[in-house]
Amino acid sequence: MPLPAACPRCGDTDIDVVTVPPTDHTYEGWETAIECDNCDERVFARELDR
């Protein structure tokens, strides 16, 4: 699934796409995530496929 242009949790478009090191999450390896400035949520790209 491609990364959305808006936060999947609140719908705000003020988001950043970031690369997260393995020490900052529970998944294995580096991960891509969306960080929302409005709701302060971090949604990992792998969570969007669920």
Short mmCIF file of all heavy atoms in Angstrom, two decimals:
data_model
loop_
_atom_site.label_atom_id
_atom_site.label_comp_id
_atom_site.label_asym_id
_atom_site.label_seq_id
_atom_site.Cartn_x
_atom_site.Cartn_y
_atom_site.Cartn_z
N MET A 1 0.84 -1.18 0.00
CA MET A 1 0.00 0.00 0.00
C MET A 1 0.89 1.24 0.00
O MET A 1 1.82 1.34 0.80
CB MET A 1 -0.90 -0.03 1.24
CG MET A 1 -1.62 1.28 1.49
SD MET A 1 -2.60 1.26 2.99
CE MET A 1 -4.20 1.35 2.26
N PRO A 2 0.61 2.21 -0.86
CA PRO A 2 1.40 3.45 -0.85
C PRO A 2 1.08 4.27 0.40
O PRO A 2 0.00 4.17 0.97
CB PRO A 2 0.95 4.18 -2.11
CG PRO A 2 -0.33 3.55 -2.52
CD PRO A 2 -0.37 2.17 -1.93
N LEU A 3 2.03 5.09 0.79
CA LEU A 3 1.83 5.94 1.95
C LEU A 3 0.77 6.99 1.64
O LEU A 3 0.78 7.59 0.57
CB LEU A 3 3.13 6.62 2.36
CG LEU A 3 4.22 5.68 2.86
CD1 LEU A 3 5.50 6.45 3.11
CD2 LEU A 3 3.78 4.97 4.13
N PRO A 4 -0.15 7.23 2.56
CA PRO A 4 -1.21 8.20 2.32
C PRO A 4 -0.70 9.64 2.44
O PRO A 4 0.34 9.90 3.04
CB PRO A 4 -2.23 7.90 3.43
CG PRO A 4 -1.41 7.30 4.52
CD PRO A 4 -0.29 6.56 3.84
N ALA A 5 -1.46 10.57 1.90
CA ALA A 5 -1.11 11.99 1.97
C ALA A 5 -1.64 12.64 3.24
O ALA A 5 -1.35 13.80 3.51
CB ALA A 5 -1.66 12.71 0.75
N ALA A 6 -2.42 11.89 4.02
CA ALA A 6 -2.99 12.39 5.27
C ALA A 6 -2.83 11.33 6.35
O ALA A 6 -2.66 10.15 6.06
CB ALA A 6 -4.46 12.72 5.07
N CYS A 7 -2.91 11.75 7.59
CA CYS A 7 -2.81 10.84 8.72
C CYS A 7 -3.97 9.84 8.68
O CYS A 7 -5.13 10.25 8.59
CB CYS A 7 -2.85 11.63 10.03
SG CYS A 7 -2.86 10.58 11.51
N PRO A 8 -3.69 8.54 8.76
CA PRO A 8 -4.76 7.56 8.72
C PRO A 8 -5.59 7.54 10.01
O PRO A 8 -6.68 6.99 10.04
CB PRO A 8 -4.03 6.24 8.51
CG PRO A 8 -2.65 6.48 8.95
CD PRO A 8 -2.38 7.93 8.75
N ARG A 9 -5.11 8.15 11.07
CA ARG A 9 -5.85 8.16 12.34
C ARG A 9 -6.79 9.36 12.45
O ARG A 9 -7.92 9.24 12.85
CB ARG A 9 -4.87 8.15 13.51
CG ARG A 9 -3.95 6.95 13.49
CD ARG A 9 -4.20 6.00 14.64
NE ARG A 9 -3.55 4.72 14.43
CZ ARG A 9 -2.41 4.36 14.97
NH1 ARG A 9 -1.78 5.17 15.79
NH2 ARG A 9 -1.91 3.17 14.73
N CYS A 10 -6.29 10.57 12.10
CA CYS A 10 -7.13 11.77 12.29
C CYS A 10 -7.47 12.49 10.98
O CYS A 10 -8.30 13.37 10.97
CB CYS A 10 -6.46 12.75 13.25
SG CYS A 10 -5.05 13.64 12.58
N GLY A 11 -6.77 12.16 9.87
CA GLY A 11 -7.06 12.76 8.59
C GLY A 11 -6.32 14.06 8.30
O GLY A 11 -6.46 14.63 7.23
N ASP A 12 -5.52 14.54 9.24
CA ASP A 12 -4.78 15.79 9.04
C ASP A 12 -3.69 15.59 7.98
O ASP A 12 -3.09 14.52 7.88
CB ASP A 12 -4.16 16.23 10.36
CG ASP A 12 -3.60 17.64 10.29
OD1 ASP A 12 -4.31 18.53 9.78
OD2 ASP A 12 -2.46 17.86 10.72
N THR A 13 -3.42 16.61 7.18
CA THR A 13 -2.41 16.51 6.13
C THR A 13 -1.04 17.02 6.56
O THR A 13 -0.10 16.99 5.77
CB THR A 13 -2.86 17.27 4.87
OG1 THR A 13 -3.12 18.63 5.22
CG2 THR A 13 -4.09 16.64 4.26
N ASP A 14 -0.90 17.48 7.80
CA ASP A 14 0.38 17.95 8.32
C ASP A 14 1.15 16.77 8.90
O ASP A 14 1.19 16.56 10.11
CB ASP A 14 0.15 19.03 9.38
CG ASP A 14 1.43 19.76 9.74
OD1 ASP A 14 2.44 19.57 9.04
OD2 ASP A 14 1.42 20.52 10.72
N ILE A 15 1.72 15.96 8.00
CA ILE A 15 2.42 14.74 8.41
C ILE A 15 3.84 14.74 7.87
O ILE A 15 4.15 15.45 6.91
CB ILE A 15 1.68 13.47 7.92
CG1 ILE A 15 1.57 13.47 6.39
CG2 ILE A 15 0.32 13.34 8.57
CD1 ILE A 15 1.05 12.18 5.82
N ASP A 16 4.68 13.93 8.49
CA ASP A 16 6.05 13.71 8.03
C ASP A 16 6.24 12.21 7.84
O ASP A 16 5.76 11.41 8.64
CB ASP A 16 7.06 14.20 9.07
CG ASP A 16 7.00 15.70 9.29
OD1 ASP A 16 6.99 16.44 8.29
OD2 ASP A 16 6.96 16.12 10.45
N VAL A 17 6.95 11.85 6.77
CA VAL A 17 7.33 10.46 6.56
C VAL A 17 8.76 10.33 7.07
O VAL A 17 9.64 11.07 6.64
CB VAL A 17 7.23 10.06 5.07
CG1 VAL A 17 7.70 8.64 4.86
CG2 VAL A 17 5.79 10.23 4.58
N VAL A 18 8.97 9.41 8.01
CA VAL A 18 10.26 9.27 8.67
C VAL A 18 10.74 7.83 8.61
O VAL A 18 9.94 6.90 8.45
CB VAL A 18 10.19 9.72 10.15
CG1 VAL A 18 9.88 11.20 10.25
CG2 VAL A 18 9.18 8.92 10.93
N THR A 19 12.04 7.65 8.73
CA THR A 19 12.64 6.34 8.85
C THR A 19 13.01 6.15 10.32
O THR A 19 13.68 6.99 10.90
CB THR A 19 13.89 6.22 7.96
OG1 THR A 19 13.51 6.54 6.62
CG2 THR A 19 14.45 4.82 7.99
N VAL A 20 12.56 5.05 10.90
CA VAL A 20 12.72 4.82 12.33
C VAL A 20 13.70 3.67 12.55
O VAL A 20 13.51 2.58 12.01
CB VAL A 20 11.35 4.48 12.98
CG1 VAL A 20 11.48 4.36 14.48
CG2 VAL A 20 10.31 5.53 12.61
N PRO A 21 14.76 3.89 13.36
CA PRO A 21 15.74 2.83 13.61
C PRO A 21 15.15 1.71 14.47
O PRO A 21 14.17 1.93 15.19
CB PRO A 21 16.87 3.55 14.34
CG PRO A 21 16.22 4.73 14.98
CD PRO A 21 15.10 5.13 14.07
N PRO A 22 15.73 0.53 14.42
CA PRO A 22 15.21 -0.62 15.16
C PRO A 22 15.16 -0.41 16.67
O PRO A 22 14.38 -1.06 17.34
CB PRO A 22 16.15 -1.77 14.81
CG PRO A 22 17.08 -1.27 13.79
CD PRO A 22 16.87 0.19 13.60
N THR A 23 15.94 0.50 17.19
CA THR A 23 15.94 0.74 18.64
C THR A 23 14.72 1.54 19.09
O THR A 23 14.47 1.63 20.29
CB THR A 23 17.21 1.50 19.05
OG1 THR A 23 17.29 2.71 18.28
CG2 THR A 23 18.45 0.66 18.83
N ASP A 24 13.94 2.10 18.16
CA ASP A 24 12.80 2.95 18.51
C ASP A 24 11.44 2.32 18.25
O ASP A 24 10.42 3.01 18.23
CB ASP A 24 12.88 4.27 17.74
CG ASP A 24 14.01 5.16 18.21
OD1 ASP A 24 14.65 4.83 19.23
OD2 ASP A 24 14.26 6.19 17.57
N HIS A 25 11.39 1.01 18.02
CA HIS A 25 10.12 0.34 17.79
C HIS A 25 10.25 -1.14 18.07
O HIS A 25 11.35 -1.62 18.36
CB HIS A 25 9.61 0.58 16.36
CG HIS A 25 10.55 0.10 15.29
ND1 HIS A 25 10.67 -1.21 14.94
CD2 HIS A 25 11.42 0.78 14.51
CE1 HIS A 25 11.57 -1.33 13.97
NE2 HIS A 25 12.05 -0.13 13.70
N THR A 26 9.16 -1.87 18.00
CA THR A 26 9.18 -3.30 18.34
C THR A 26 9.34 -4.21 17.13
O THR A 26 9.41 -5.42 17.29
CB THR A 26 7.87 -3.69 19.07
OG1 THR A 26 6.76 -3.39 18.22
CG2 THR A 26 7.73 -2.94 20.37
N TYR A 27 9.41 -3.62 15.93
CA TYR A 27 9.59 -4.43 14.73
C TYR A 27 11.08 -4.69 14.50
O TYR A 27 11.94 -4.06 15.10
CB TYR A 27 9.01 -3.72 13.50
CG TYR A 27 7.54 -3.38 13.64
CD1 TYR A 27 7.10 -2.07 13.54
CD2 TYR A 27 6.61 -4.38 13.87
CE1 TYR A 27 5.76 -1.75 13.66
CE2 TYR A 27 5.26 -4.07 13.99
CZ TYR A 27 4.84 -2.76 13.89
OH TYR A 27 3.52 -2.45 14.01
N GLU A 28 11.36 -5.61 13.60
CA GLU A 28 12.74 -5.94 13.27
C GLU A 28 13.22 -5.08 12.11
O GLU A 28 12.54 -4.95 11.10
CB GLU A 28 12.83 -7.42 12.89
CG GLU A 28 14.24 -7.91 12.70
CD GLU A 28 14.27 -9.41 12.46
OE1 GLU A 28 13.50 -10.12 13.11
OE2 GLU A 28 15.06 -9.83 11.60
N GLY A 29 14.38 -4.45 12.26
CA GLY A 29 14.96 -3.64 11.19
C GLY A 29 14.41 -2.22 11.15
O GLY A 29 13.60 -1.81 11.97
N TRP A 30 14.90 -1.46 10.17
CA TRP A 30 14.46 -0.09 9.98
C TRP A 30 13.04 -0.09 9.44
O TRP A 30 12.67 -0.95 8.63
CB TRP A 30 15.40 0.63 9.02
CG TRP A 30 16.70 0.98 9.65
CD1 TRP A 30 17.76 0.14 9.84
CD2 TRP A 30 17.09 2.23 10.17
NE1 TRP A 30 18.78 0.80 10.46
CE2 TRP A 30 18.40 2.10 10.67
CE3 TRP A 30 16.47 3.46 10.27
CZ2 TRP A 30 19.08 3.15 11.26
CZ3 TRP A 30 17.15 4.52 10.85
CH2 TRP A 30 18.44 4.35 11.34
N GLU A 31 12.24 0.88 9.83
CA GLU A 31 10.85 0.97 9.41
C GLU A 31 10.53 2.37 8.92
O GLU A 31 11.09 3.35 9.41
CB GLU A 31 9.90 0.64 10.57
CG GLU A 31 9.94 -0.81 10.99
CD GLU A 31 9.32 -1.74 9.97
OE1 GLU A 31 8.37 -1.34 9.27
OE2 GLU A 31 9.80 -2.87 9.86
N THR A 32 9.59 2.47 7.99
CA THR A 32 9.06 3.74 7.53
C THR A 32 7.79 4.02 8.32
O THR A 32 6.98 3.12 8.52
CB THR A 32 8.75 3.69 6.03
OG1 THR A 32 9.94 3.38 5.33
CG2 THR A 32 8.20 5.02 5.54
N ALA A 33 7.64 5.27 8.76
CA ALA A 33 6.45 5.63 9.54
C ALA A 33 5.96 7.02 9.15
O ALA A 33 6.70 7.82 8.59
CB ALA A 33 6.75 5.59 11.03
N ILE A 34 4.71 7.26 9.44
CA ILE A 34 4.10 8.57 9.28
C ILE A 34 3.95 9.16 10.67
O ILE A 34 3.41 8.51 11.57
CB ILE A 34 2.71 8.45 8.63
CG1 ILE A 34 2.84 7.89 7.22
CG2 ILE A 34 2.00 9.79 8.62
CD1 ILE A 34 1.51 7.48 6.62
N GLU A 35 4.46 10.38 10.86
CA GLU A 35 4.28 11.08 12.12
C GLU A 35 3.36 12.27 11.88
O GLU A 35 3.61 13.08 11.00
CB GLU A 35 5.62 11.54 12.68
CG GLU A 35 6.47 10.40 13.17
CD GLU A 35 7.76 10.85 13.82
OE1 GLU A 35 8.15 12.01 13.69
OE2 GLU A 35 8.39 10.00 14.47
N CYS A 36 2.30 12.34 12.68
CA CYS A 36 1.30 13.39 12.52
C CYS A 36 1.55 14.50 13.54
O CYS A 36 1.69 14.23 14.73
CB CYS A 36 -0.10 12.81 12.71
SG CYS A 36 -1.40 14.05 12.57
N ASP A 37 1.59 15.74 13.07
CA ASP A 37 1.79 16.88 13.97
C ASP A 37 0.51 17.24 14.71
O ASP A 37 0.56 17.87 15.76
CB ASP A 37 2.29 18.09 13.18
CG ASP A 37 3.69 17.89 12.65
OD1 ASP A 37 4.44 17.08 13.22
OD2 ASP A 37 4.04 18.54 11.65
N ASN A 38 -0.64 16.84 14.21
CA ASN A 38 -1.91 17.18 14.83
C ASN A 38 -2.23 16.25 16.01
O ASN A 38 -2.51 16.71 17.10
CB ASN A 38 -3.04 17.12 13.80
CG ASN A 38 -4.37 17.53 14.37
OD1 ASN A 38 -4.49 18.57 15.01
ND2 ASN A 38 -5.37 16.71 14.16
N CYS A 39 -2.20 14.94 15.80
CA CYS A 39 -2.59 14.01 16.87
C CYS A 39 -1.39 13.34 17.53
O CYS A 39 -1.55 12.49 18.40
CB CYS A 39 -3.56 12.96 16.34
SG CYS A 39 -2.88 11.79 15.14
N ASP A 40 -0.16 13.71 17.12
CA ASP A 40 1.08 13.17 17.71
C ASP A 40 1.18 11.65 17.62
O ASP A 40 1.80 11.02 18.46
CB ASP A 40 1.24 13.62 19.17
CG ASP A 40 1.53 15.10 19.28
OD1 ASP A 40 2.19 15.64 18.37
OD2 ASP A 40 1.10 15.72 20.26
N GLU A 41 0.56 11.06 16.61
CA GLU A 41 0.62 9.62 16.41
C GLU A 41 1.73 9.26 15.44
O GLU A 41 2.07 10.03 14.55
CB GLU A 41 -0.70 9.08 15.87
CG GLU A 41 -1.82 9.06 16.88
CD GLU A 41 -1.58 8.06 18.00
OE1 GLU A 41 -1.03 6.98 17.75
OE2 GLU A 41 -1.97 8.38 19.13
N ARG A 42 2.29 8.09 15.62
CA ARG A 42 3.24 7.51 14.67
C ARG A 42 2.60 6.24 14.14
O ARG A 42 2.29 5.34 14.91
CB ARG A 42 4.56 7.19 15.35
CG ARG A 42 5.55 6.52 14.41
CD ARG A 42 6.81 6.11 15.12
NE ARG A 42 7.69 7.26 15.27
CZ ARG A 42 8.82 7.23 15.95
NH1 ARG A 42 9.19 6.14 16.57
NH2 ARG A 42 9.57 8.31 16.03
N VAL A 43 2.37 6.19 12.84
CA VAL A 43 1.77 5.02 12.20
C VAL A 43 2.81 4.42 11.28
O VAL A 43 3.29 5.07 10.35
CB VAL A 43 0.51 5.42 11.40
CG1 VAL A 43 -0.11 4.20 10.77
CG2 VAL A 43 -0.50 6.14 12.29
N PHE A 44 3.16 3.17 11.53
CA PHE A 44 4.15 2.49 10.70
C PHE A 44 3.51 2.02 9.39
O PHE A 44 2.33 1.65 9.36
CB PHE A 44 4.75 1.30 11.45
CG PHE A 44 5.68 1.72 12.55
CD1 PHE A 44 5.23 1.83 13.85
CD2 PHE A 44 7.00 2.03 12.27
CE1 PHE A 44 6.08 2.24 14.86
CE2 PHE A 44 7.86 2.44 13.27
CZ PHE A 44 7.40 2.54 14.58
N ALA A 45 4.29 2.05 8.33
CA ALA A 45 3.79 1.66 7.01
C ALA A 45 3.22 0.24 7.03
O ALA A 45 2.20 -0.02 6.39
CB ALA A 45 4.90 1.79 5.97
N ARG A 46 3.83 -0.65 7.78
CA ARG A 46 3.33 -2.04 7.84
C ARG A 46 1.95 -2.11 8.50
O ARG A 46 1.20 -3.02 8.23
CB ARG A 46 4.32 -2.96 8.52
CG ARG A 46 4.51 -2.70 10.00
CD ARG A 46 5.31 -3.72 10.75
NE ARG A 46 6.59 -3.98 10.17
CZ ARG A 46 7.23 -5.14 10.25
NH1 ARG A 46 6.69 -6.13 10.93
NH2 ARG A 46 8.40 -5.31 9.71
N GLU A 47 1.61 -1.14 9.37
CA GLU A 47 0.29 -1.12 10.00
C GLU A 47 -0.80 -0.70 9.02
O GLU A 47 -1.96 -1.01 9.24
CB GLU A 47 0.31 -0.17 11.20
CG GLU A 47 1.23 -0.62 12.31
CD GLU A 47 1.41 0.43 13.39
OE1 GLU A 47 0.90 1.55 13.24
OE2 GLU A 47 2.09 0.12 14.38
N LEU A 48 -0.43 0.00 7.95
CA LEU A 48 -1.41 0.43 6.96
C LEU A 48 -1.94 -0.73 6.14
O LEU A 48 -3.02 -0.65 5.56
CB LEU A 48 -0.80 1.49 6.05
CG LEU A 48 -0.34 2.76 6.72
CD1 LEU A 48 0.43 3.63 5.73
CD2 LEU A 48 -1.50 3.52 7.31
N ASP A 49 -1.18 -1.82 6.06
CA ASP A 49 -1.60 -2.98 5.28
C ASP A 49 -2.64 -3.83 5.99
O ASP A 49 -3.21 -4.74 5.41
CB ASP A 49 -0.38 -3.84 4.93
CG ASP A 49 0.55 -3.12 3.97
OD1 ASP A 49 0.07 -2.25 3.22
OD2 ASP A 49 1.75 -3.43 3.96
N ARG A 50 -2.87 -3.57 7.26
CA ARG A 50 -3.82 -4.38 8.04
C ARG A 50 -5.24 -3.94 7.83
O ARG A 50 -5.56 -2.85 7.58
CB ARG A 50 -3.50 -4.30 9.53
CG ARG A 50 -2.18 -4.91 9.84
CD ARG A 50 -1.97 -4.86 11.31
NE ARG A 50 -0.55 -5.13 11.57
CZ ARG A 50 0.04 -4.90 12.70
NH1 ARG A 50 -0.63 -4.41 13.69
NH2 ARG A 50 1.29 -5.18 12.88
#
